[in-house]
Amino acid sequence: MENRYKMRVMAVTIGTLAALSIFITVRYRRRRRSQKCPSSSCYLQGDHCQNQKKPQHAFKRVLADNSYSPFKHLKKLHDSPNENDLNSHPYEAEITALLDNPGLEFSFMSKYTDLKMSETYTWVETETQLKELVDVLSKERVFSVDTEQHSLRSFLGFTALIQISTQKEDYLVDTIALHDAMSVIRPVFADSSICKVFHGSDNDILWLQRDFHIYVVNLFDTAKACEVLSKPQKSLAYLLETYCGVMTNKLLQREDWRQRPLSNEMVQYARIDAHYLLYIANCLIAELKQQENEISCPDDKFHFVLEASRRSNMTCLQLYTKDVEGFPGESAASSLSSRHLNGQGGVSSNFETKFPDLVRRLCAWRDIMARLHDESLRYVLSDQAIVALADRAPMTTTEVCNTINQADLNVDLSFHSFLPSPSPVVCSHLDDVCSLLQDKIGNLNDIFPMIIQKCLGPSGSCPISIYNYALLINCNLKLEFVSKQNGVKSSKQVAKKASRDLFVQKFSCKSPVYHNCRIYANDGRLLCYCDQRKLEWYLRRDLAKIVDDNPPAIMLLFEPKGRPEDEDNDFYIQSKKNICVGCGEGSHYLRYRIIPSCYRIHFPEHMKSHRSHDIVLVCVDCHEVAHASAEKYKKQIATEFGIPLFVRKVVDLKQAQVMSGSSESETNLEEGGVSPLQLRTAAMALLRHGPRMPSKRREELSQIVMSYYGGREISEVDLEKALLVGMSPHERRRLEKKKGLSFKPSAVSILPKVEQENNNGSTETSGIVETSEVTTLDDSQSTKAEARSRKEDRETGADVGDSSVCADSGINEEVSSTFKENVNPDKNGVSDINGVLLINSNDNCESRNPSNRIVDLYQTEYDGTAQPKHHPKLSLLGHGPHGKQVVDHLLKEYGEDGIRQFSQRWRQVFVEAVHPRFLPAGWDVMHRI
Ligand code: AMP
Ligand code: MN
Ligand code: ZN
């Protein structure tokens, strides 16, 4: 009895409060400020931002940012990396189990529970308090929940308060203060042995997922129960009134739930929304059970309780998604356009013609600006303002402001009429609105990247935040995507593509080369790029907050000592995108060394350390171009310096001597020496195909090998030994290791012809038969080496590993320069060029047409296989000796300046060949280490 009385008193009190609040709210709304327009800097920046402080700026991490990328749902620890990854509900199994087999005891309230709301409640705002709450809840069999949202000054909205009531206590969880700590409460929500009572849970379920990855398992929704019971109304206000005699003012749901402290009125409202739910649920369940017994015919029983429970848990299976549009603002634009074209009809001549286009522009602009500044669409620019602007197309900034203000005044009684009009977003970006209206931006598709660059680009007007960061990244990707989309494919191109794909699959870098972890200053300016460890260092010390997961980025919470713009070294603060610097290709890439390693490995140590500048990522196509030009330039250098690319002669049987032969014009076999390349080639050909060769050719080749052995007769063993001549010890070891496999015909591939230009321009020609055993074309080796280099990269923190196979060891270059020939294989695998019988006995191997590329191919085969750290004798077969002589010469004549200029020449060669469009900003031909 006493309870009933108290409740009535309370109801009256609440009723009075409600009336009062309506009055206050309405008065409040009538105040409409007209902003001073225009203002030059973004309202979120600098002095302006003090009175614009938004609590979500303190969040360290958000699950749903304002980019166009889809929402990522929770991955449970032991989830298999699933097919439909992003779209699967992490608790689908648990919820489905409940649907099949619901626990129907539902004893929510003990009989003696006091219905009335006590004086006190618990405000939860620290992590400790939150953990205590979790402890309490985990011991309960049931608790009720409601949430309050803020949506005006946020693009997607965020949960500002969670109300939780047990039979004993009301808890108000400050989800703004605890935004980054909310994960501790996940388990009780997902615990299927604890029932959660909501009213009208559809939105709450999604909001909890969006903000905290909280998924509700085992739900009883009192609104669903009302449905099943066919109640005349199913609003909470109705239920509160009917079951509890409590009045509530639902206008309060539109209050600004960000404010702290909450007003007493708001606290009351929030508590009421959760407090009575357990009691109401109890009543409804009783009714459901009663219905079950009364109404159902005995043999076909309709399970009322079960149905209410089933409908509730079906709600839990919903998944939060971001709205998807074909183009920013598209759906708003089409609904506005059609509404106004069908409706009122045109006011001005503009109406029929430009109107839809302007609406589309303005909607796109509004959408992007709302995302950038994390504001709601209606806060940025109202629908009626868009219509007015599109209709009148004002030309000056003042006219624009007036048009917006007038349009907003005309709808004075609308709920958000108290908003500043025009909004600060419009005022601080008024020029854009004008450009938009004046048709200064030709193509609508250009608006998107243009605005993002203008606001968030290198000298952007607006602060970068956890909400808009990914927008910037996606924008870049989109631009690259567009730039790649031109070109029609012929059937030949298709074949080429297949071969190229295979190459890409086999030899491109298997994971992103650059971590590209970013550090931003607290004003949103980019400070530098770094690795994961550095980020973690800051995070562990609470010196930074995460602004993005992929690629990871943090924002410092303190003022850093200096800014990169202050100093003049913007190269190292550029992101190294994992795309081809030439054409922007992003699907695959290989490392490419702009300065060939045959030179680079001989550079003084300190000039090699900052290597990231001169190792770039390129796609196979650009690699091809770059590589060919580099090989051509090597020849030019050989001529210029008088240092031939290859060792001209080896003479001694026991000790292969280097005879640089720079003054000698031609190879003269009679002088008792032979080029190592020629020797090896001849020996190989004889071993493989000697018996099947035309005798004349066999004789010629034998002469070459004999001249190396001082003219004596040669045996098969001599031929095999000749294969080792000119190799570095490292290469020899590898060959010997493989001995068993050595001469199986199946491993043979053929290089039909090598033209080798020497320093005075004469050409020597020889048939080359190459075994895969002695090349670096060996899968197991390359993968191992690659893995090793990766590991080294990680251990040393080097951005790009010098030892990587990926870059310019023979592997990539060989395949790179031959994958195109692949497409057009020699039909029968046999050809006769220059009197050499060429047999392609390997079906798997490429047969290659004679071309200059093959020269390049062979010449680079051993390039870089000599390991600089161990300093073995250089291979005489590659360009190592040439590189060493060139670098020695430069150092001797010009010192380190010579090396610097030499490096610059190579960068120039690269630039002229590839015309790179995607080099990181700050990359410079003149770069000095
Ligand atoms: P409630 O649980 O009914 O208090 O509503 C929860 C949240 O939904 C509120 O904090 C509001 O953000 C939002 N909401 C519900 N209905 C409205 C409405 N008619 N207008 C604006 N916001 C609403
Ligand atoms: Mn509520
Ligand atoms: Zn801005």
Side-chain angles (χ1 to χ4, degrees), residues 42-44 369 373 428-429 455 461-463:
C42 180
Y43 70 105
L44 291 175
M369 291 313 256
H373 297 93
S428 55
H429 297 280
C455 291
S461 55
C462 312

Side-chain angles (χ1 to χ4, degrees), residues 146-148 163 250 269 273:
D146 186 41
T147 74
E148 301 305 323
Q163 306 101 288
K250 270 290 162 191
Y269 171 86
D273 266 2

Side-chain angles (χ1 to χ4, degrees), residues 146-151 207 250 253-254 257 269 273:
D146 186 41
T147 74
E148 301 305 323
Q149 303 292 313
H150 178 76
S151 56
W207 289 331
K250 270 290 162 191
Q253 71 193 166
R254 302 170 179 195
W257 287 97
Y269 171 86
D273 266 2

